[in-house]
Each structure stands twice: as structure tokens, then as C-alpha cells.
Amino acid sequence: MRKTQSFKGMRRIRRILILALAAALGLSSYTYLPHKVLASETPDESDVQEIQEEIDEQQQEIDKTQQEIDETEDKKQKLQEAKENMENYLADLNRQYASLEDEIQDLNQQITDKQAEIEEAQAALEAAKAVEEQQYADMKARIQYMYEHPQASFLELLLTSGSFADALNQAGYAASITAYDRDMFEQYVAQKEAIEEQEAKLQGEKKALDELQASVTQKQNEVSALADSTSGQISQHVNEIAQAQADLDGKNNTLENQKAVLDELIAEKKRMEAQIEAAKAAEIQASLGDVTGVRTTELEYVQYGAYSATEEEVTALAVLIYCEAGNQGAEGQLAVGAVVMNRIRDPRFAQNDIMSVIRASGQFSPVTSGRFDLMLEQGLDSVTESCYTAARRAIAGESNVGNRVFFRTYANYPSLSGLVIGAHIFSYTWNFAA
């Protein structure tokens, strides 16, 4: 009985629901149990086609998840590089800050020393002022004395003195006092000007040091602000890296789950194909009766020239033989391989290599259904050694069907003429007229 389309879609809906439930529960792994064909049901090609579509969809989901993982890995790597660059920059800022700190301490010491020099100069200036005041007081007292006791003229000194020498001595003493006061005043003025000049110079140097200290302190504050900002960016990168890693963990779990689903789907498809093959074999057995596996005519052995094949071509031919005649024995398997090689040699066919013959449009049902590619990509372990042997024999030029280039399932066309080997009938023409 044919299954309805809604029934056929139940497996896909079930798989989607299981994936959604696993994601919601945060499960790292789970087992997907695909729909099993009931014992009373026999799967057909539509079942295989449907599950192949599910396999293709699941593979697309895996590819999408893998792409997201790659993008997240790339994002995480860039964040890690940015974090490392920021850490190096922060280390450089810390070195600058420490250097500026040393410079500020040195400037503080210079300012302290300069302040001490200024204070010494100011003390010297105060001392000079005290000397000035004392000199001024002394000079004022002498002037007052001289005013109150005016000096007699030299003639009066001469007349009042006992001798001319005494008069000269008295006059010279007065003159030396006056000269002394003038010299002391000039020395004081020069000393005071020198001290004031030194103080002004020291004050200027201290001002320059203060300005330099302010500039360095400002630069240190700027470096400190940059360091704080960089530390904040580093913390942000750390959080983003952690988020990226958590995202990666989740996506990797999803990828594992998706691959598990794909494995189950592939396994189910193989089970279906095995059931179909078994059903076909049973059908052939029932239709052929005693004739099954027996040649109705003698085999036509021919040895043609060998074909130079690559390992890929040997594998491809072995896979095709397995799909078409895996249960047909050595003779049936060689016959299928010989048909492929006969088409390369037959001028009626445009294909001139193994792969182009195999993939010619509408020629081999396993290729059309997708089973050939699935086996080629994921089922090589199932291909028997006898199929590889048959492929190598056919490639070496051996044929047991002569130059025949067509074959069909004999049970489906019992009235056709041709060479029967096992379940297949082989012919020179497409209509099996001879």
C-alpha cells in the first residue's frame, strides 16, 4: 500500500522536533532514532529518495554549522590577537608611567634644592640689608657729628695745630673717613645688585622647573588615563573571548548532534536499500524459478585491449558493479563491468572514459537515484572485493558478454532476446532485438 505524503514527511518533522528539543535542553549529545519501516511495509525508491533528501538537508545543516564554527573561531582568534596587542600596549604605558614617576621625583628634588638656594640668596640679601642699615646709621652719625662740629679750614688747623704736620694729619683723617664711607656704599650697592640678580635667576629657574613638573605630571595623568582605558578594553576583549568560546562549545555540540543524525539517516538508507535489494532478489528468484542464475546461452568470452585506468576509475567502476550486480556472482559482476568498457570502445557512444560512461544521462539507475554517489562518498567499506576484481578484469580487456553494450533486469522483460547472466539480460541493441 502506498504511503501518503504526510506520512512520508513524519520522519523529517520528528527529526526537526528532536533537534529543537535537544537545543532547548542544552544536551551535548543525543541519539536520533529515525523512522523504521514496519515489518509489513516494504520500502520503495520513493522512500530512498525521501531519506536521501533528508540526508542532503542534514548535510547542508552540518555545512552551515561548520561555517558558523569557522567564523566564530576566526572572530575568537582576532579578539585574542587584539587582546594581546592591548596587553603589550598596556605594558608599554606602565613603563612610560614609571619613567615619568622617576622624572617627577627628580624634578621634585631639583625644585627642593633650588628653593634652598633661593632661601640662601634671600638670607644673604637680608644680611646685606642689615649691613646697609648699619653703614647708613654709622654714616648718619658721622655726618651729624661733622655738622655739629664743623671742620675748621686748613689755615685754622694750621694756626691751632702745634705744627704743619699735625694740621695735615687732621685734614687727611677727615678725607679718609669720607672715602671709606663712599667705598663701603659702592661695595654694598654692587653686592646687593649681585644678590638680587642671583635671586631673580634662581626664581626663574624654579619657575621653569615648576612648569616642567606640571607638564610631566599632566603627561603622567594622560598616560594613566590611557592605561585605565586600555585595561577596560582588555577586560571587554576577555569577556568577548569567553562569549565566543561559549558560542563555539554550543555550536560544536550542535555539530556533533547533527553528525549523529546524519549517521542515523545514512544507516537507515542503507537498511532501506538492503531491504529493497532483498525484495528484488526475492522477486527475481520467484519469477525465474529454476532458471535463476543459469545461462540460457553460452557466455561469449572476448579479450580486448587493456584500458589505462586511474585508481579513482577502478573504484568508481567497482562501486557501479556493486550497485548493479553486487548479488550476481563473479560472472554477473564481470558482465556489468564489460558493458561499461564496451561502450568506451563502441563508436556509437560519445563517451570515451569510464566516468563519462557511468554518468551518461539516464543510463544507470544507481547513478540517477543518487545511490552511486552515496556509496562512492560514504559506503566504500561495503563494496566487496569481488566487485573490485570484476572491475580490474573488465579494465584489463576481459569480457564475457562479447561486445554487448546494453543490459536490463531479465525478470522484468522475460520475452526479450539476449544473453542471460543471473538476473540480467545483455544485448547489442537498446531494443534487445538480437
Side-chain angles (χ1 to χ4, degrees), residues 257-276:
N257 294 336
Q258 290 173 337
K259 287 181 177 179
V261 171
L262 181 62
D263 291 341
E264 290 290 345
L265 289 171
I266 292 173
E268 182 182 8
K269 183 181 179 184
K270 288 182 178 180
R271 288 191 292 269
M272 283 185 176
E273 290 175 335
Q275 286 181 276
I276 292 173

Side-chain angles (χ1 to χ4, degrees), residues 152-299:
S153 64
F154 181 74
L155 180 59
E156 290 176 334
L157 289 175
L158 182 60
L159 292 176
T160 58
S161 297
S163 65
F164 183 76
D166 291 336
L168 287 175
N169 288 333
Q170 292 181 22
Y173 175 75
S176 64
I177 291 298
T178 301
Y180 171 79
D181 288 338
R182 184 183 301 108
D183 291 340
M184 292 301 294
F185 180 75
E186 290 176 353
Q187 290 179 16
Y188 160 73
V189 170
Q191 182 181 15
K192 181 180 179 182
E193 290 176 352
I195 292 174
E196 289 176 344
E197 182 179 350
Q198 178 68 15
E199 181 186 19
K201 179 183 178 183
L202 292 173
Q203 291 287 1
E205 291 175 352
K206 182 176 181 297
K207 180 179 179 182
L209 289 172
D210 289 338
E211 292 174 352
L212 180 58
Q213 182 192 43
S215 175
V216 173
T217 301
Q218 180 180 357
K219 185 175 181 180
Q220 187 185 43
N221 292 336
E222 293 173 355
V223 170
S224 178
L226 281 173
D228 291 341
S229 174
T230 304
S231 296
Q233 293 180 46
I234 291 174
S235 298
Q236 181 179 352
H237 285 324
V238 169
N239 292 335
E240 290 175 349
I241 290 171
Q243 292 173 1
Q245 185 58 54
D247 193 18
L248 276 176
D249 293 341
K251 284 181 169 60
N252 282 321
N253 288 337
T254 298
L255 183 63
E256 291 178 5
N257 294 336
Q258 290 173 337
K259 287 181 177 179
V261 171
L262 181 62
D263 291 341
E264 290 290 345
L265 289 171
I266 292 173
E268 182 182 8
K269 183 181 179 184
K270 288 182 178 180
R271 288 191 292 269
M272 283 185 176
E273 290 175 335
Q275 286 181 276
I276 292 173
E277 291 295 333
K280 285 182 178 180
E283 182 181 354
I284 291 171
Q285 182 70 27
S287 64
L288 294 180
D290 296 337
V291 182
T292 300
V294 178
R295 296 189 302 274
T296 57
T297 59
E298 292 295 326
L299 297 181

Side-chain angles (χ1 to χ4, degrees), residues 115-164:
Q115 184 63 42
E117 293 180 18
I118 291 172
E119 291 175 357
E120 290 177 2
Q122 289 175 340
L125 184 59
E126 291 298 325
K129 288 181 179 179
V131 171
E132 175 197 14
E133 292 175 356
Q134 184 60 46
Q135 287 180 340
Y136 178 76
D138 293 343
M139 185 173 62
K140 181 178 178 182
R142 284 194 293 274
I143 292 173
Q144 182 177 1
Y145 176 81
M146 291 173 67
Y147 178 79
E148 293 176 352
H149 302 84
Q151 184 178 356
S153 64
F154 181 74
L155 180 59
E156 290 176 334
L157 289 175
L158 182 60
L159 292 176
T160 58
S161 297
S163 65
F164 183 76

